[in-house]
Amino acid sequence: MNAAAPKTAAIKTGPVRVSPPPSPAPWITPATFLMACATLAAEIILTRVFSVLMWYHFAFLAVSVCLFGLGAGSLVVHLAGSNWRAGDLPRHLGRCAIGFAAAQLVCVGTLRLLKLGTLDLNLVSIAQMGAAFLVAALPFTFSGAFFALVFSRGSERIGRYYFADLAGAAAGCLATISLLTHFGGEAAMVATGAIALLAGLVVTPMRREAATWRAQLVALVVVVAVLVANHWSPFLMFRHTKGNDEPEPIAVSWNSFSRVIAYPRADIGDIMLVIDGIAFTPITPFHGDANATQDAMANLQRLPYVFYDKPSLLVIGSGGGEHILTGLSAGASEIVGIEMNPIVLDMVNNRFADISGGLFTQPGVTVELAEGRSWVARSTKNFDVVNFTLVDTWAATAGGAFSLTENYLFTAQAFGEYFDRLTPRGMVAVKRWKDAPEYIYRTVALARHVLDARKTKNVASCFYVVRDGDFANVLIKPSGFSVEEVLRLEDLVKTLDLEIMYSPFMKPHDETLDAMLRAGNLDAWVATQEYDYSAPTDDHPFFFYTLRPADLLKTFSQDYAAKIRNIGALIVFVLAALVFAFVSIMILGPLVLVRRHRILLRGHLRAASYFGLIGLGYLTVEIAMMQSFILYLGHPTLTLSVFLATLLVMSGIGAGLSSRIGAERPRKSLALVTVALVGVAAGLLIVSPKIFAATLGAATPVRIAVSIVMLAPLGILMGMFFPMGVRAVREDGTVPWMFAVNSAASVFGSVAAMAIALLAGFSTTVTFGLAAYVVAAIIYPSEDE
C-alpha cells in the first residue's frame, strides 16, 4: 500500500475512487484564442518586416512562410501519433508556447544579420533567402503543432475551438496596428511571443505541470526584459534594407503599412524621410520664402503650375512638401495636399517643425490625411491641376500583403474621376521615372483609353510630355491643348531647361508616344507592342505589371533596374516553386516516408482533397474580395482591420453554428451551405459596386457598418466548411494531417489568387475560389444517414 495515500482513505469504507486530474478543456478555448491572436499578429508583422528588408512583393512570401510553418507543425503532430497521450496535452501545449516565443527571438536575431533583397540570383542570395524562410517559419511550426493538438484532441468540441481560433485571429489582426505603432516591427515580433506564452500559462495547470508552468513564466520574463531593454536602447533595429546599409537615423517610426526613418543630409541641410528603405521624400528647410527653396531639380514639377496664373492645385502624395513648396513659389491660389501616411505628417508638422517651418499650415494650403483615390471620389471640388508625385512606392501595406495589389490610383475608373475633378481649363500631371519608359507609355495609353471612352475629339492634342535628367512629366488636358498653349509650353520648356518627349503640333521626339496617340485603334496598336500597355481597371489594377506572359522567363536575364520593375514576376516563379515543394511535403510526405501512413492514400485521400479545396477556396475568395473594400473604406489599414477581423469573427460564428446544422444529414446540409455561399458571393460582386457608389460619401463609421453587414453572411458560410470536415473524418489521429493539407492548399491559394488576378482579374479569382468550394462539397467525405 502506498504510504502517501490520502488520509481520508483510512476513514472511509468501501473502495477508494481517486479523482482524475482536472480536465484542461475549459481553458483550451481561451488558450486557443490567445495563440491564434499571436499567430496572425506575427504573420502580418512578418509581411511588414519582409517589405522593409526586401521588397513589398515578398510580403506574399510571409503568408506562405506562416502557412508552411502551420502545416509543418501539424505534420509533426500527425507523425507523432499515439506517442502524444491525451493526458499530456497541457504540457505539450505549454512547450509549444515556449517554442513559439523562443523562435521569434531567434528569427529577429537572424533577420538582423542577413542582407536580404539584393535581387542577385547567386548561391549566396539563394542561401540567405532559404535561411530567412526556414527561420521565419519556425515560430509558426510551434503554433501549428499547438492547433493540431487542440483540434485532434477535441474534435467533439471542434466548433467551439475553431471559433476561438478565428476570433483570436481577428483579435490578432486588430492588435497588429497597436503592436507595430508602439513597438516597431522588430520588437513587435518578439511581443507576439509574450502573447503565445500567456496562452501556454492559461492552459497549463500550475500544480500538475509545475515545471512547464515555471519554464513559461521564466520565458515570459525574458521576453518582457528584451522589450523593455529595446525600448531604451533599440538593439533589435534592422540595419540593412533591400541589401544595403542604412544611414544612422535620428527618428524611426512604424505603423501597419510603413516604416519611416529620418536622417539629416548635412550637405543640403534638409531631413530625408525614407519609407520602407526605398521611397524617399525630403523635408526642405522653409522660413517663409518658397522661392528660396527652389532649384533646377524642381523645374519639371514646376511646369504645370507656372502654365496657369494662380492655379488651384491638388497634390496627391504631398510627402515632405516638395510640391507644396513649388506650388507656393508658382503663385498657386489654393493647394490641397493628400497624404495617407500619418507618420510623414507627424514628422513634417511636429517632430521636424523647426525645419518645415509650418509649411502645411500656410495660408491657402490644406493637407489632409487620406488615401488619394478615395478622397477624390468623395470630393466635389475642382482643380486646375491634379498632380501625382511618384506616389507609387515599393512598400506593402498590411492589407496589401493580403490583397496583392499595388494601388487603385492608376486605373481607368480612377482617371475618369480625376478628369471629373478638373476645371474646364484643367490638366492631370503624372510624374514618372525616365528610365522606366514602359510606365510612361502605359500612363499615356491609360489616359487615352479613358478619353476615347468619353468620345474626345482629336485625342492626340490632349497630351504634352517632357523630361529632365531623371524624370518625365505627363501632362493630360482633356479639353485639348491649343496651338497657342503649346507655343507657351515650349517657351516654358526652354526657360526651365527641359526636354520635350511629345508635343501635339511638332515632329515626333518619341516615336512610340506619337504612334500610340495617332493610332486609329488603340487596342489594336497595344496588341502589337512588346510590353502590355492596356488600361488597368479596378478589377485588374496592376499598372506596374507590363510583361506579356510569354516573356516572364526573360526577367531572369534582365539587368538590375529591369528586375526591380518586374520583381512581381520573379516572386511568382519563386512562390510557384515553393508551393510545389510545400504541397508535396505536406500531402505526399506522410504517405511516402512512413510506411504505416500509406494506408491514408486509400482511406483518406477523399478527405484530404476536401480539406485542400476549402483551404484553396478560402484564401482566393478572401484575397479577391478585399480589393473593392480597400477603395471603399479609403485606407489599407482600415480595410485590414474591418475586412479581415469581420471575416474571421463571422467565420468563427459559422464554425460554432455548424454543429447545429443537419447532423443527421451532413451532405445535404453542406450542399445547402455551398449554394448559399455561391449566391452570397455572386451577389456581392454584382451589388457591392452600387452600394459603394451610393454610400461612398458617408462618414467612416457608416461605411464600416455597411462593410460589416455585407461581409457577415460570407464569413459565416465560409466558416462552416472546416468543422464539418473534421466531424466527417471522425478519427482524431487523422485530423492533424488534414490540418496540414488545409494549410498547404492555403499557401497554394495565396499564390493562385495572385497569378489569376494578374492574368484575368479579381472577379475571375473569386469565381475560381467558389469553384473550389463547389468541388469540395461534391467530394465531401461523409454520407447522409
Side-chain angles (χ1 to χ4, degrees), residues 25 27 84 127-128 158 175 212 272 279 330 397 403 458 470 521 590 649 679 751 753 760 772:
W27 300 105
W84 289 10
Q128 287 185 329
I158 185 62
T212 303
M272 178 59 75
T397 68
S403 62
N458 193 17
D470 296 312
N521 186 311
V649 168
V751 180

Side-chain angles (χ1 to χ4, degrees), residues 225-538:
V226 170
L227 294 173
V228 172
N230 185 73
H231 174 75
W232 295 106
S233 178
F235 60 90
L236 295 177
M237 187 171 66
F238 298 132
R239 299 293 183 178
H240 314 291
T241 59
K242 312 298 187 288
N244 302 311
D245 296 334
E246 282 196 325
E248 188 65 30
I250 57 176
V252 181
S253 293
W254 290 73
N255 57 23
S256 63
F257 61 95
S258 71
R259 169 186 182 257
V260 182
I261 72 167
Y263 68 91
R265 295 194 295 182
D267 55 333
I268 299 177
D270 64 0
I271 300 293
M272 178 59 75
L273 306 183
V274 186
I275 303 169
D276 279 9
I278 192 62
F280 297 81
T281 181
I283 300 177
T284 303
F286 173 63
H287 304 291
D289 182 8
N291 291 322
T293 67
Q294 302 301 291
D295 56 21
M297 293 186 65
N299 286 344
L300 186 70
Q301 63 197 41
R302 187 180 184 86
L303 178 63
Y305 302 160
V306 298
F307 179 72
Y308 297 108
D309 180 39
K310 296 182 179 180
S312 57
L313 311 178
L314 174 62
V315 179
I316 297 181
S318 58
E322 275 187 291
H323 278 264
I324 305 294
L325 286 168
T326 302
L328 287 174
S329 71
S333 61
E334 179 187 14
I335 304 175
V336 176
I338 306 299
E339 175 56 52
M340 69 178 296
N341 196 325
I343 296 176
V344 172
L345 284 182
D346 177 66
M347 288 187 172
V348 174
N349 291 330
N350 302 311
R351 201 173 305 188
F352 301 110
D354 56 329
I355 302 293
S356 67
L359 173 63
F360 289 173
T361 59
Q362 293 296 300
V365 175
T366 303
V367 178
E368 298 194 21
L369 178 64
E371 190 276 326
R373 169 79 185 280
S374 181
W375 188 91
V376 168
R378 294 195 300 269
S379 175
T380 58
K381 299 183 67 173
N382 292 332
F383 300 89
D384 293 321
V385 179
V386 175
N387 192 17
F388 292 86
T389 63
L390 287 178
V391 289
D392 40 88
T393 62
W394 285 314
T397 68
F402 287 91
S403 62
L404 310 180
T405 181
E406 291 141 339
N407 57 53
Y408 281 95
L409 291 175
F410 302 106
T411 69
Q413 292 86 344
F415 266 60
E417 292 167 5
Y418 307 148
F419 293 159
D420 289 340
R421 296 276 67 79
L422 294 176
T423 62
R425 67 173 185 169
M427 71 170 70
V428 172
V430 183
K431 191 176 181 182
R432 300 245 63 92
W433 288 95
K434 185 189 75 173
D435 293 336
E438 61 266 38
Y439 300 145
I440 301 173
Y441 300 148
R442 193 165 209 181
T443 301
V444 174
L446 168 59
R448 184 192 160 170
H449 171 84
V450 177
L451 293 172
D452 284 345
R454 294 184 170 214
K455 309 298 183 183
T456 303
K457 297 181 179 179
N458 193 17
V459 71
S461 69
C462 300
F463 295 84
Y464 196 87
V465 185
V466 296
R467 65 187 177 193
D468 61 10
D470 296 312
F471 304 100
N473 206 344
V474 179
L475 308 185
I476 309 153
K477 191 168 184 283
S479 61
F481 290 101
S482 66
V483 174
E484 293 77 11
E485 289 174 328
V486 169
L487 292 174
R488 185 179 177 213
L489 278 170
E490 289 171 3
D491 288 340
L492 290 171
V493 166
K494 291 178 183 178
T495 301
L496 298 174
D497 193 25
L498 302 175
E499 179 184 353
I500 299 173
M501 289 184 68
Y502 172 81
S503 174
F505 305 118
M506 294 178 62
K507 65 180 182 180
H509 296 266
D510 186 296
E511 294 184 358
T512 301
L513 286 175
D514 192 71
M516 177 192 301
L517 290 172
R518 301 189 190 281
N521 186 311
L522 178 62
D523 292 338
W525 181 87
V526 166
T528 65
Q529 301 303 300
E530 177 183 1
Y531 289 95
D532 181 10
Y533 301 134
S534 60
T537 65
D538 284 351

